[in-house]
Amino acid sequence: MKRALLLNCNGEPLQFIDGMRAIKLMLKGRVDVAFGATGTPSYWEENIATPSKEFKLPAVLRLKYYVQKRPHKKPPRFQKHVLFNRDSWRCQYCGIELSYSCLTIDHVFPTSRGGSTCWRNCVTACRKCNNTKGNKTPEEAGMKLMKQPLEPHTLHYWDISKSSVWHDDWNLFMSQ
Ligand SMILES: [Zn+2]
């Protein structure tokens, strides 16, 4: 099931919650559906059914009150699906959205020339762009990155089953 991003009342991301918990919080009046990138409330396209009623599944919820944030765990080592989460499962050169098996890791500064496997030197890329770029830097290959690669947010580590179920609105609240 798709999840909702739960925000503190100040917009700080807290955690992902499942659809049922999201609906319960809404019914208890503890949250509002946050506005997404288009300036409208952020929902998934699908509905979620409870025994009594069907609801539109929210993608981002904001608490109406402040909760003390638990300290974040130390970020674990470099992981492929975390990188894909950070990049919204999109090739950072052509922007195409793909699933786990169709995406690759591109080293912005090539490994063959000493580039390291770290958050700031790795981006998500489709096979085509990765092949085109080869052992060149983006400048040398005449390719442009959609954004500068940064350390992921703690919530990017949350395992969303290695598939493309990332809601674009989440980026709004999880940018560094
Ligand atoms: Zn591409």
Side-chain angles (χ1 to χ4, degrees), residues 34-51:
F35 281 53
T38 54
T40 53
S42 182
Y43 286 101
W44 291 100
E45 272 164 25
E46 66 224 68
N47 291 346
I48 177 166
T50 65

Side-chain angles (χ1 to χ4, degrees), residues 91 94 96 126 129:
C91 170
C94 70
I96 191 173
C126 72
C129 290

Side-chain angles (χ1 to χ4, degrees), residues 27-40:
L27 289 175
K28 285 178 181 163
R30 291 187 183 160
V31 289
D32 288 316
V33 180
F35 281 53
T38 54
T40 53

Side-chain angles (χ1 to χ4, degrees), residues 4 27 49 75 93 111 114 127 146:
L27 289 175
Y93 295 103
T111 40
R127 288 180 203 286
M146 291 174 74

